[in-house]
Amino acid sequence: MSAKVIDGKRIAQEIREEVRQETEKLKAQGIVPGLAVVLVGGDPASAVYVGSKEKTCLEMGFHSEVHRLPEDTTEEQLLELVDSLNQNEKVHGILVQLPLPKHIQEKSVIDAIAVEKDVDGFSPQSTGNLVIGDESLLPCTPAGIIELIKRTGTEISGKHAVVIGRSNIVGKPVAMLLLRENATVTVCHSRTANMERIAAEADILVVAIGKPKAIDSRYVKPGAVVIDVGVNRLDTGKLAGDVDYDDCSAKASAITPVPGGVGPMTIAMLMQNTLKAAKLKAGV
Ligand code: NAP
């Protein structure tokens, strides 16, 4: 039997359409969600990401601002821009595209973003809110993973979820979100002993390690839902996930492909966060 393919492209499109429709209603009340994206320097991959965020904002009907700054921008100048965006009434979400040039401390810049505008959800305050269960903007990729699982019709509550990877941007926050959804959560990492045995007990297996095809069917319980966050460029130029898709799809009940699984969810959740920030600001 082959697993059901979790179609992230379709689910992301569904979320974007929901955001677009809700934005239309908000605009009728005079509220226009706004996202400001800041790009420092000329990294080609970052320029592509920023371009697609700008395009998606416009499709949603948002107010969109992109601030493209030269490579030699100082940290002080960038902090001044963030401060002015914090004050800007038209802007509900601020995203500083990472990585930043080496002479700028990313932490100082992320910390400077007002928590109510932190649509990337990476600041210490947003992370703290997530951990204690307070209202907050959730980090986009982890929130997208939860949406993928839910919209595939999988009940999370009461399940054993195993997360492989403990980074601050994926592993840890997705583990906290699964816990919030009442899963019993185990987090594995590079020092975990008996990882194969632990993973093979998971009803929901989330893999975010950045190692192409490292997880094969020995790590998968029959009927498990497998979410592959990994995006790895192979020597052939093709993209591969962290999961050996062909091997695992024979054993899982549902699995995300790479590309077309988790990837498309990130921008969709960024749009949803911007809308949420605008609604929270307006109190609607
Ligand atoms: P990261 O910061 O490099 O963290 C990798 C984590 O995996 C670490 O916690 C590491 O453990 C653990 N790890 C590495 N090798 C392992 C192994 N063999 N067995 C068990 N654990 C292992 O990576 P990341 O930023 O979380 O990203 C992970 C992957 O997701 C990458 O391929 C990235 O490109 C992808 N990603 C995709 C999206 C998206 O689709 N939108 C977004 C973000 C990331 P230690 O902590 O012990 O070192």
Side-chain angles (χ1 to χ4, degrees):
M1 201 190 68
S2 195
K4 174 178 170 183
V5 181
I6 303 174
D7 187 349
K9 237 171 145 176
R10 184 187 57 74
I11 296 172
Q13 183 51 40
E14 208 174 277
I15 291 168
R16 282 152 63 144
E17 184 52 27
E18 288 165 13
V19 171
R20 199 191 60 74
Q21 285 181 16
E22 220 181 313
T23 301
E24 220 167 78
K25 286 189 204 141
L26 276 185
K27 281 173 128 176
Q29 302 174 53
I31 304 158
V32 185
L35 177 68
V37 179
V38 181
L39 174 65
V40 186
D43 177 59
S46 293
V48 172
Y49 296 141
V50 167
S52 72
K53 283 165 189 167
E54 183 178 24
K55 182 169 160 270
T56 314
C57 271
L58 297 173
E59 278 167 24
M60 297 301 104
F62 288 0
H63 164 70
S64 167
E65 292 182 10
V66 179
H67 298 263
R68 292 183 171 85
L69 308 179
E71 183 84 25
D72 61 359
T73 302
T74 64
E75 186 171 314
E76 197 185 353
Q77 286 167 328
L78 183 55
L79 289 171
E80 268 170 32
L81 173 62
V82 169
D83 189 44
S84 77
L85 294 172
N86 281 340
Q87 316 294 331
N88 187 335
E89 297 276 320
K90 282 185 175 171
V91 171
H92 302 98
I94 303 169
L95 186 144
V96 177
Q97 186 67 45
L98 302 178
L100 289 169
K102 295 231 177 336
H103 64 278
I104 300 177
Q105 284 195 39
E106 285 184 358
K107 187 172 165 15
S108 317
V109 177
I110 301 302
D111 286 2
I113 299 171
V115 66
E116 66 277 10
K117 298 192 179 189
D118 177 26
V119 280
D120 240 350
F122 287 155
S123 72
Q125 205 177 334
S126 300
T127 305
N129 286 339
L130 165 61
V131 173
I132 61 179
D134 273 3
E135 180 76 68
S136 70
L137 297 169
L138 303 175
C140 299
T141 302
I145 292 168
I146 300 297
E147 282 296 321
L148 276 183
I149 299 170
K150 284 186 173 172
R151 291 184 189 231
T152 310
T154 304
E155 171 78 37
I156 299 176
S157 180
K159 297 283 170 60
H160 183 197
V162 173
V163 178
I164 309 185
R166 58 172 165 179
S167 70
N168 288 334
I169 62 165
V170 189
K172 281 182 201 159
V174 83
M176 290 315 306
L177 286 173
L178 286 161
L179 188 60
R180 200 162 89 166
E181 297 291 335
N182 298 315
T184 301
V185 184
T186 306
V187 182
C188 300
H189 45 80
S190 68
R191 314 283 178 91
T192 299
N194 302 320
M195 194 170 82
E196 189 183 309
R197 181 180 56 70
I198 296 166
E201 285 174 359
D203 304 304
I204 298 167
L205 181 64
V206 179
V207 187
I209 58 178
K211 303 262 154 70
K213 301 188 185 188
I215 301 300
D216 62 28
S217 62
R218 290 172 301 161
Y219 294 79
V220 176
K221 174 175 160 177
V225 172
V226 179
I227 306 291
D228 185 358
V229 191
V231 182
N232 306 289
R233 181 75 63 186
L234 301 177
D235 292 343
T236 58
K238 278 179 110 182
L239 285 184
D242 291 342
V243 170
D244 184 337
Y245 181 90
D246 292 334
D247 191 30
C248 294
S249 64
K251 211 166 173 190
S253 64
I255 186 166
T256 56
V258 176
V262 174
M265 295 299 287
T266 304
I267 284 196
M269 300 313 288
L270 175 67
M271 298 300 128
Q272 202 183 64
N273 262 354
T274 305
L275 175 73
K276 183 176 169 187
K279 284 168 71 180
L280 285 171
K281 171 87 184 352
V284 293

